[in-house]
């Protein structure tokens, strides 16, 4: 097949695009308040949304990177609130072929949501059961799922190893992330304060956590 006539000047080398993008992000954003070992995660999250000021609202606990990577290396599952997050995880990067689960389509979810008087996303969290113990949780869509997780833990339920808490939205998103940051006993976590968040940010964080190789992990 013949390629189209080149009419524009643009970079075509994938690795070069990533290198230049990450250099631009590092030049235009400030990650100095974050743990040093979390800088690559911050860069990948900025890359996913195109907003270099994201780092102003990014908060990562000092124990988050160690806790998350240790859990993944031990084979812990990744539990998420959205199929978009589950689909975005690049499975070959995962160190132990870790399970990535979203139970939103489970046939029990609708009935549980009605019984609990909550959203389907929140009800699906209850179905994680014992798999939640020591898991890596990534919530990128539903604030109700994050609130429900915190309520389960407060009632004595299983505790995850770490939480990527970046639900997006105008109702409850900022509040759910504030609740995670204030929860005691503290769970290692990453949050984006305020309304911003979303599945793309959650995926970017997970993929950065799964593999250290910044450029090689990005170019397929």
């Amino acid at each position: 097949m013949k390629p189209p006539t080149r009419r524009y000047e643009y970079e075509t080398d994938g690795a070069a695009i990533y290198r230049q993008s990450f250099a631009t992000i590092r030049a235009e954003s400030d990650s100095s308040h974050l743990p040093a070992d979390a800088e690559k995660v911050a860069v990948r999250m900025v890359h996913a949304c195109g907003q270099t000021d994201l780092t102003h609202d990014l908060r990562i606990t000092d124990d988050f990177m160690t806790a998350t990577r240790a859990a993944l290396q031990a084979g812990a599952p990744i539990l998420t609130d959205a199929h978009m997050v589950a689909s975005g995880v690049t499975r070959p990067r995962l160190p132990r072929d870790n399970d990535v689960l979203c139970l939103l389509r489970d046939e029990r979810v609708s009935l549980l949501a009605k019984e609990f008087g909550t959203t389907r996303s929140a009800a699906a969290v209850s179905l994680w059961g014992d798999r939640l113990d020591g898991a890596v949780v990534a919530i990128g869509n539903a604030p109700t799922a994050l609130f429900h997780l915190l309520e389960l833990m407060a009632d004595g339920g299983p505790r995850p190893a770490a939480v990527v808490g970046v639900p997006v939205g105008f109702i409850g998103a900022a509040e759910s992330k504030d609740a995670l940051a204030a929860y005691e006993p503290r769970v290692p976590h990453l949050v984006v304060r305020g309304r911003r968040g979303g599945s793309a940010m959650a995926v970017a964080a997970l993929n950065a956590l799964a593999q250290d190789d910044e450029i090689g992990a990005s170019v397929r």
Side-chain angles (χ1 to χ4, degrees):
M1 181 181 296
K2 183 180 178 182
T5 302
R6 182 67 60 82
R7 301 178 187 277
Y8 306 97
E9 290 295 326
Y10 56 94
E11 181 62 70
T12 59
D13 180 79
I17 290 170
Y18 276 106
R19 282 194 296 270
Q20 292 172 35
S21 295
F22 295 157
T24 300
I25 291 167
R26 288 185 166 102
E28 296 183 9
S29 64
D30 180 10
S31 299
S32 60
H33 63 289
L34 300 175
D37 59 352
E39 191 261 357
K40 287 183 179 180
V41 173
V43 169
R44 290 299 301 270
M45 292 180 71
V46 170
H47 185 258
C49 68
Q51 301 168 345
T52 54
D53 69 332
L54 179 74
T55 55
H56 297 165
D57 293 324
L58 187 59
R59 297 292 182 269
I60 303 175
T61 60
D62 290 338
D63 52 357
F64 174 78
M65 296 296 294
T66 299
T68 305
R69 286 184 163 160
L72 293 176
Q73 286 288 345
I78 296 172
L79 307 178
T80 182
D81 66 322
H83 286 285
M84 189 176 293
V85 177
S87 297
V89 174
T90 305
R91 308 303 172 93
R93 297 182 195 171
L94 297 174
R96 293 293 181 269
D97 193 27
N98 309 67
D99 288 335
V100 183
L101 303 173
C102 175
L103 299 181
L104 194 58
R105 294 178 185 147
D106 189 288
E107 60 184 12
R108 297 168 289 176
V109 165
S110 294
L111 289 176
L112 275 179
K114 291 179 181 178
E115 179 183 343
F116 294 166
T118 190
T119 66
R120 293 175 65 251
S121 296
V125 172
S126 286
L127 296 179
W128 292 346
D130 290 341
R131 284 175 292 192
L132 179 57
D133 188 23
V136 174
V137 170
I139 296 179
N141 183 57
T144 55
L146 184 50
F147 277 127
H148 196 82
L149 171 64
L150 296 175
E151 290 166 344
L152 284 176
M153 289 193 294
D155 282 346
R159 287 171 57 87
V163 178
V164 176
V166 291
V168 63
F170 295 90
I171 307 300
E175 293 82 356
S176 68
K177 290 176 277 190
D178 288 345
L180 172 60
Y183 183 83
E184 292 292 346
R186 190 181 74 177
V187 177
H189 62 266
L190 174 159
V191 298
V192 175
R193 298 185 306 173
R195 296 170 170 175
R196 285 191 289 188
S199 296
M201 288 190 194
V203 167
L206 290 172
N207 286 337
L209 287 160
Q211 190 174 89
D212 282 328
D213 187 351
E214 186 171 71
I215 301 299
S218 306
V219 182
R220 301 180 186 177

